[in-house]
Amino acid sequence: MKVSLLQTDIVWADVNQNIANATRLLDENAGADLYVLPEMFSTGFATEPRGIAESDKRSLEWMKNEARSRQCAICGSVATEDGGRFYNRFYFVFPDGTEQHYDKHHLFTYSGEHHRFTAGDERVVVNYAGFRILLQVCYDLRFPVFSRNKADYDMAIYVASWPTVRLHAWTTLLHARAIENQCYVIGVDRTGNDPACSYSGGSEIIDPYGHTIVACERDKVDVATADIEMKPLEDFRKKFPVLGDADNYMLTK
């Protein structure tokens, strides 16, 4: 599977401009099977969703149209209003325009996200191009129990608006999740500034050994692309069966 990471500079609360910028990156980097956008890629990370969160599904419809026309999958999170509630919703759109979504489970209390957004309580794994893919959003990265591999996924995707000041934690935890879960990890962060923070990117694809396969350049809009294969992962899991030795546990709410 050919994967492209779209490390964007998000224009604050400007859906039209952010969609236009993402479309340009898609045009300039054609041919991938999967494109990954950052957290709240069409607005920037908003803790006050009123006036910013989408109820018309404009960004989702753009994702569906692009996926169908390019015959690829596209994913990223969107500030979404649904049924009178607000969600940080991670959409995974397939080439036929169908979608699955994951609502961010760990809301970022430090910024007050939990006061206005509703947390999701469902762990979501999608199947695409021969891979089982766990969907995660930003702050989820700090909570390894929720994302523990129960031999039910091969790749984890973290989309984020992770500030420069905590970039070392982002990089370290991404590599830890790949090693401990014996899986590929994709992390896509934004660059640029919003009213609260500055961002440096740090987007990369990591293999199950914890090695970086490809990374975007820091502090700029950039796209990084790599071919990811299942066979090396399968061979590694057979040779070194870490997941079979994991602790048995059950999560409760």
Side-chain angles (χ1 to χ4, degrees):
M1 176 169 59
K2 187 176 182 180
V3 182
S4 287
L5 315 183
L6 305 184
Q7 181 173 283
T8 60
D9 183 350
I10 302 171
V11 182
W12 179 249
D14 191 334
V15 175
N16 291 335
Q17 188 60 58
N18 290 316
I19 285 177
N21 291 344
T23 302
R24 176 180 56 81
L25 292 178
L26 291 173
D27 289 340
E28 294 172 354
N29 298 273
D33 302 298
L34 171 63
Y35 293 92
V36 187
L37 288 152
E39 178 182 23
M40 293 193 189
F41 72 86
S42 59
T43 59
F45 179 67
T47 56
E48 174 47 75
R50 289 174 178 81
I52 290 180
E54 299 181 26
S55 59
D56 59 3
K57 298 186 178 181
R58 186 174 10 162
S59 295
L60 176 60
E61 289 305 312
W62 170 79
M63 295 171 79
K64 289 183 175 184
N65 290 335
E66 294 295 327
R68 282 190 293 256
S69 65
R70 300 174 191 273
Q71 281 300 287
C72 64
I74 299 176
C75 65
S77 98
V78 177
T80 301
E81 183 178 359
D82 187 0
R85 294 186 175 187
F86 298 105
Y87 299 91
N88 188 339
R89 182 161 287 175
F90 185 171
Y91 289 111
F92 191 101
V93 180
F94 297 88
D96 64 358
T98 60
E99 58 93 1
Q100 287 182 253
H101 68 260
Y102 159 71
D103 292 329
K104 186 178 181 181
H105 179 62
H106 296 95
L107 299 179
F108 193 39
T109 57
Y110 182 77
S111 70
E113 186 182 19
H114 64 300
H115 289 308
R116 298 172 181 88
F117 284 83
T118 298
D121 58 9
E122 181 182 359
R123 173 182 161 114
V124 177
V125 176
V126 303
N127 290 279
Y128 176 64
F131 287 81
R132 300 168 300 169
I133 304 171
L134 177 72
L135 307 184
Q136 299 277 274
V137 179
C138 203
Y139 196 41
D140 288 328
L141 181 61
R142 289 187 179 268
F143 303 93
V145 174
F146 185 69
S147 64
R148 182 62 176 158
N149 196 344
K150 298 178 284 189
D152 61 342
Y153 69 85
D154 310 303
M155 175 187 295
I157 299 178
Y158 290 88
V159 298
S161 289
W162 198 288
T164 301
V165 69
R166 293 186 288 276
L167 194 60
H168 177 69
W170 162 258
T171 301
T172 302
L173 293 173
L174 285 175
H175 285 254
R177 296 296 89 83
I179 294 166
E180 70 192 10
N181 292 303
Q182 206 169 32
C183 69
Y184 292 105
V185 166
I186 293 173
V188 177
D189 190 17
R190 63 162 294 180
T191 189
N193 303 283
D194 66 17
C197 294
S198 296
Y199 305 88
S200 296
S203 306
E204 58 182 298
I205 301 176
I206 302 157
D207 73 14
Y209 296 90
H211 301 142
T212 298
I213 297 173
V214 68
C216 293
E217 187 174 341
R218 298 276 177 89
D219 297 307
K220 63 176 288 187
V221 174
D222 197 19
V223 177
T225 301
D227 288 307
I228 309 299
E229 298 181 359
M230 270 297 299
K231 190 174 187 308
L233 174 58
E234 292 170 340
D235 291 345
F236 180 38
R237 286 176 172 175
K238 288 177 182 176
K239 180 181 179 181
F240 191 57
V242 172
L243 297 180
D245 295 328
D247 300 308
N248 291 320
Y249 62 90
M250 181 170 58
L251 290 176
T252 58
K253 294 179 65 175

